[in-house]
């Protein structure tokens, strides 16, 4: 997903949750709504399958995460950006579930 597509997804999610209306020029800026949408997402919880896939990627498929497995996963970098994370877990494991309307 490129940056433009990521932004479009974020904006659509804000509108779907009625946090933002792009037709209202006096409303809050989308960037100021990040804490609100983060809080909503935290209350929704995590998908167990997603947690297992990320753990497996960070642990190198082992039963625990070690410093060595993290160094290998991060490939010498101090942090993973969005694209590094996608590469780590595998693009085939990423999907964006849509809520029932």
């Amino acid at each position: 997903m490129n940056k433009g597509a990521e932004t479009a997804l974020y904006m659509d999610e804000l509108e779907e949750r009625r946090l933002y209306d792009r037709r209202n020029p006096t409303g809050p800026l989308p960037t100021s709504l990040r804490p609100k949408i983060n809080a909503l997402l935290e209350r929704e919880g995590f998908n167990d399958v997603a947690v297992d896939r990320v753990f497996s990627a960070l642990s190198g498929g082992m039963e625990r995460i070690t410093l060595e497995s993290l160094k290998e996963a991060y490939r010498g970098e101090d942090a993973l950006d969005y694209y590094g994370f996608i590469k780590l877990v595998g693009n085939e494991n990423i999907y964006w579930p849509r809520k029932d309307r």
Side-chain angles (χ1 to χ4, degrees):
M1 177 182 292
N2 64 33
K3 192 67 169 169
E6 183 182 357
T7 300
L9 182 68
Y10 172 68
M11 297 296 287
D12 289 346
E13 197 66 31
L14 286 175
E15 284 191 295
E16 185 174 318
R17 294 168 182 267
R18 292 182 164 74
L19 294 173
Y20 178 72
D21 180 2
R22 66 181 83 210
R23 296 172 305 244
N24 180 1
T26 63
L29 292 172
T31 52
S32 70
L33 297 171
R34 179 78 63 184
K36 284 185 180 183
I37 199 163
N38 284 348
L40 287 172
L41 292 172
E42 283 180 20
R43 282 195 295 272
E44 289 178 9
F46 295 101
N47 177 298
D48 290 338
V49 173
V51 171
D52 289 343
R53 287 184 180 156
V54 171
F55 183 88
S56 179
L58 291 174
S59 69
M62 306 303 280
E63 292 183 11
R64 62 190 180 122
I65 297 175
T66 64
L67 181 58
E68 289 76 29
S69 69
L70 286 177
K71 284 181 181 178
E72 187 174 320
Y74 278 57
R75 298 182 177 116
E77 300 293 329
D78 290 334
L80 290 174
D81 64 4
Y82 175 82
Y83 301 103
F85 178 78
I86 298 296
K87 189 173 185 178
L88 175 68
V89 298
N91 196 43
E92 68 279 2
N93 290 314
I94 304 296
Y95 69 97
W96 300 97
R98 298 304 304 169
K99 294 176 283 307
D100 293 333
R101 301 196 193 278

